[in-house]
Amino acid sequence: MSEPLVRTEVRGRVGVARLNRPRAYNALSPELMRELLAVLRAWDQDDAIGAMVITGNEKVFAAGADVKAMSQADAVEMLRSGYIELFDGLSTIRKPLIAAVAGWALGGGLELALACDMIVAAENAVFGQPEINLGIIPGAGGTQRLARTLGKYLTMEMVLNDRRLRADEAARFGLVNRVVPTETYLDEAIALAQAIAARAPLAVRLGKEAVNFAFESTLQAGLQHERRLFYLLFATEDQTEGMRAFLEKREPHWQGR
Ligand code: DAK
């Protein structure tokens, strides 16, 4: 049997998806992206899973889309390929997604990390959008998500001149949540995911939705959206339980209802 393109493992309430094309530096072929999305969608439906981690290996998170496959494509093939829909599918995942990045996160690899909700970086991580070297630009969100996170000027340098950020620079510019030793990066990302997965599931889900809405809306519309989600949580058993547990000085028992 052939190796899966995405290896999966469940640790407690966390699903860990490991990109598995090491010989191609985890180049994100459509087949790999399809497999990844299928795994994430299944976990998103599974009450036993509270958060997910996407990772590569210690040397490379992902070196981008598969240049070998793309090199022969014309515009119509790219347009018809459905490749971008696979990236867009990531934004339909409702549970938290954490990218655990060691080594290269380049091109589509960085765009995959940017589509996650948090990024834990190993000390050896390198982030970049080298598409300009191939005569193209990022096509799966890089120009937009980086500009929103890093601002215009650094993003321009990355997109127009292949400026790469080391992990410490990425942390300084707010691109990653934390930088940790390469030996422990995956454990640290899983620990962060476990901590979130132990929290009230509906509040986590709506919290993610509310924060993401900030990227889509004006401040006023965002504040209104947040308020509606806030009121909605007062219809949940977990709100009653959370507040009761606080007053009774005990740990809450979340039901996800
Ligand atoms: N695709 C295919 N193979 C790749 C690859 C990639 N992106 N990156 C590396 N490999 C392969 C290499 O060809 C090599 O294979 P063999 O020659 O051994 O068969 C093997 O992985 C090891 O690579 P190197 O020999 O180059 O290893 P080094 O350690 O010297 O260098 C590197 C590592 C990661 C710095 C280097 O491999 C590199 O620069 N890789 C390419 C990085 C890159 O240009 N990435 C951007 C790709 S373009 C779209 C949306 C998004 C996208 C496309 C479409 N739509 C909306 C439709 C995204 C585009 C991109 O990501």
Side-chain angles (χ1 to χ4, degrees), residues 23-25 27 63-68 70 78 81 83-84 87 104 106-109 111 130-131 134 136 138-140 164:
R23 276 184 296 281
Y25 275 38
D66 194 321
V67 179
K68 277 180 200 141
M70 259 189 323
M78 289 305 284
S81 70
Y83 189 57
I84 192 61
F87 278 87
W104 304 107
L106 299 178
E111 290 170 308
E131 287 89 342
L134 305 170
I136 58 172
R164 302 193 183 181

